[in-house]
Amino acid sequence: MLEGHTFFFFLVMMVQMLTGILANGLIIVVNTIDMVSRRRMIPLDLLLSCLATSRIILQLCIFFAQLGIFCLAKHSIFTDNVAFVFFINELGLWFATWLGVFYCAKIATIPHPLFLWLKMRISRLIPWLILGSVLYATFTTVALGGEASTVPKQIFLSFFSKNSTQVRPIPAMPLSVFILGLTLPSFIFIVAVLLLIFSLCSHGWKMRTMRGTGEPCRHGHISAILSILSFLILYFSHYMVALVVSTQGFHLGSTAFLFCGLMIGIYPSLHSVILVLGNPKLKQNAKMFIVHCKCSHCARA
């Protein structure tokens, strides 16, 4: 039985999962329909679809993990496949990183030869970046050796263990390699987002000093900066929670542990909702879906 704050966390977790699946499912369906009509998929849609697919899988994995935490399912279902979970999580981080790089290359104005080269070729590089992400995530999950591949499983077994004395410490080298696999895409993402924010702020300041600059233009820059900041906060929070969980510093069922579980689930759901609201095509289809649901509900009533 779930009682008190545990029941509240369980309800929030259910809302997170359903929101994430709906938002990411919308991204996949809309881009697939657009691909069928055009007979090809543009690079941004391809990247968004890969990101949405990885997040749906991650959301379902988080759901099964939290069911085990709440004693509503056997935790072995999750711990026996935890290496796959970390593969999907790292893959999703790479896809989100390349999305940040894509926006930075397309929107930012930085007078540097390397950046100008990237701006001209980023669309053609997207399929190769996706392939490279899959290979890198596979390498860090499988090819690093048996000891390194047991790190994620050992972390989660420590949470499900009732006796802390039975938990074996994780060797420093495999844990360092594991953390490095999460740190590299996070570093690239943070650099790309900070460059984009700096470029937008610089452009907004120039527009503000020019005569005849309208309020809608300034509001547009502020909206874009706030949206990018929300991406950065959610991404960085997810990365920090993953690091904290890796230290095995929480007891199973503690409030801090449950809070970290919620933070892990917020990123793939809320980030995708922001992506839908910030993309005109996805936003329009989301409105059509809501209107269709309302009409169906009224017709049944």
Side-chain angles (χ1 to χ4, degrees), residues 33-97:
I33 294 174
D34 191 58
M35 179 189 68
V36 172
S37 62
R38 293 187 179 187
R39 297 185 178 180
R40 69 182 185 90
M41 183 174 284
I42 63 176
L44 178 59
D45 289 350
L46 175 62
L47 184 57
L48 286 173
S49 298
C50 292
L51 177 61
T53 302
S54 67
R55 284 179 171 174
I56 288 178
I57 299 174
L58 178 63
Q59 204 85 47
L60 293 174
C61 292
I62 294 172
F63 173 71
F64 283 113
Q66 291 176 327
L67 284 182
I69 293 171
F70 295 130
C71 302
L72 298 176
K74 293 182 179 180
H75 69 266
S76 60
I77 298 175
F78 180 79
T79 53
D80 291 343
N81 301 283
V82 74
F84 172 75
V85 177
F86 273 75
F87 166 78
I88 289 297
N89 180 57
E90 186 173 349
L91 194 60
L93 287 177
W94 273 113
F95 291 156
T97 296

Side-chain angles (χ1 to χ4, degrees), residues 50-280:
C50 292
L51 177 61
T53 302
S54 67
R55 284 179 171 174
I56 288 178
I57 299 174
L58 178 63
Q59 204 85 47
L60 293 174
C61 292
I62 294 172
F63 173 71
F64 283 113
Q66 291 176 327
L67 284 182
I69 293 171
F70 295 130
C71 302
L72 298 176
K74 293 182 179 180
H75 69 266
S76 60
I77 298 175
F78 180 79
T79 53
D80 291 343
N81 301 283
V82 74
F84 172 75
V85 177
F86 273 75
F87 166 78
I88 289 297
N89 180 57
E90 186 173 349
L91 194 60
L93 287 177
W94 273 113
F95 291 156
T97 296
W98 299 134
L99 184 63
V101 171
F102 181 88
Y103 285 144
C104 179
K106 287 295 185 181
I107 299 175
T109 53
I110 300 175
H112 190 278
L114 180 60
F115 186 83
L116 296 176
W117 177 88
L118 181 63
K119 181 185 285 287
M120 296 294 295
R121 292 169 174 81
I122 186 61
S123 295
R124 285 180 286 177
L125 288 175
I126 288 297
W128 295 104
L129 293 175
I130 292 173
L131 177 60
S133 302
V134 174
L135 295 177
Y136 180 86
T138 302
F139 173 78
T140 55
T141 305
V142 178
L144 291 177
E147 190 178 28
S149 65
T150 62
V151 171
K153 186 172 182 177
Q154 182 62 27
I155 291 172
F156 278 86
L157 282 174
S158 68
F159 294 130
F160 290 112
S161 177
K162 302 290 185 182
N163 188 353
S164 60
T165 60
Q166 297 178 354
V167 178
R168 294 179 298 170
I170 301 175
M173 181 58 70
L175 183 60
S176 300
V177 173
F178 169 72
I179 293 176
L180 178 63
L182 300 177
T183 303
L184 182 58
S186 302
F187 175 77
I188 297 174
F189 178 85
I190 290 172
V191 170
V193 169
L194 290 179
L195 285 175
L196 180 54
I197 292 174
F198 172 78
S199 177
L200 285 175
C201 290
S202 177
H203 182 69
W205 178 260
K206 290 179 181 178
M207 295 293 290
R208 187 177 179 181
T209 57
M210 292 173 60
R211 290 187 177 182
T213 302
E215 289 296 322
C217 183
R218 270 185 278 177
H219 286 310
H221 279 86
I222 293 174
S223 177
I225 291 172
L226 291 177
S227 178
I228 295 165
L229 281 175
S230 67
F231 286 1
L232 178 61
I233 292 170
L234 287 170
Y235 189 106
F236 187 71
S237 298
H238 183 82
Y239 167 72
M240 290 304 299
V241 168
L243 290 186
V244 172
V245 169
S246 301
T247 64
Q248 302 171 287
F250 297 131
H251 296 290
L252 177 64
S254 66
T255 303
F257 180 78
L258 293 175
F259 177 76
C260 282
L262 291 181
M263 290 300 299
I264 288 286
I266 284 176
Y267 166 70
S269 57
L270 185 56
H271 193 191
S272 298
V273 171
I274 297 174
L275 284 176
V276 171
L277 296 178
N279 188 302

Side-chain angles (χ1 to χ4, degrees), residues 2 6-22 59-60 62-64 66-67 70 72 261-262 265 269:
L2 301 179
T6 306
F7 181 72
F8 170 76
F9 279 110
F10 179 76
L11 289 180
V12 175
M13 177 265 294
M14 291 295 297
V15 172
Q16 283 181 352
M17 184 195 69
L18 294 175
T19 303
I21 290 178
L22 284 174
Q59 204 85 47
L60 293 174
I62 294 172
F63 173 71
F64 283 113
Q66 291 176 327
L67 284 182
F70 295 130
L72 298 176
L262 291 181
S269 57

